[in-house]
Amino acid sequence: MDYKKLADQAKKAKGMSYSPYSKFRVGAALLTQDGKVYRGANVENASYGLTMCAERTAAFAAKIAGENDFSAIAIASDSKDFIPPCGACRQVLLELCGKELDVIITNGNDEQKVFKVKDLIPFSFGDEQLNKS
Ligand code: THU
């Protein structure tokens, strides 16, 4: 699937957002290597800190469906600006989706920027640090 189509899926996923507090809707579409798409959207809570981002709802849904091989995630919002993933999402995407994952960031003009997740979170903490004796 091309990244334009994946970005369209992220835009659609924005419609599932539950964001009554920030009114900032975010959608994500996570593509597996065999072509499946898992969608996510941000889900907020009156206890604000319990909010979950769009990228992580997509990654968690895919993970519990048994997916392990991913190629890209697209992220869309209502902003005219490019909206990059937050730090927590970068950390989770790195671990669940792999350092070579393409992260497609979009803006209100349907333009895209593509980054490798490993470049968005350099010198990261991961399981390599935990498994040393
Ligand atoms: N948000 C995401 O869904 N993804 C990000 O990477 C950044 C922020 C959401 C969380 C919250 O519901 C709203 O955007 C405003 O921060």
Side-chain angles (χ1 to χ4, degrees), residues 20-68:
Y21 306 107
S22 73
K23 311 232 186 303
F24 191 84
R25 300 187 308 162
V26 184
L30 177 59
L31 179 65
T32 65
Q33 284 179 12
D34 60 3
K36 276 182 251 159
V37 175
Y38 289 82
R39 292 200 219 160
N42 54 331
V43 180
E44 299 187 342
N45 194 277
S47 178
Y48 298 159
L50 302 183
T51 290
M52 184 54 60
C53 292
E55 299 89 323
R56 277 178 285 160
T57 60
F60 293 155
K63 188 67 189 170
I64 63 166
E67 303 289 354
N68 289 305

Side-chain angles (χ1 to χ4, degrees), residues 124-132:
S124 55
F125 177 83
D127 61 350
E128 323 81 82
Q129 279 71 40
L130 293 175
N131 294 333
K132 287 183 184 142

Side-chain angles (χ1 to χ4, degrees), residues 58-79:
F60 293 155
K63 188 67 189 170
I64 63 166
E67 303 289 354
N68 289 305
D69 301 309
F70 299 96
S71 54
I73 187 168
I75 304 160
S77 80
D78 295 316
S79 171

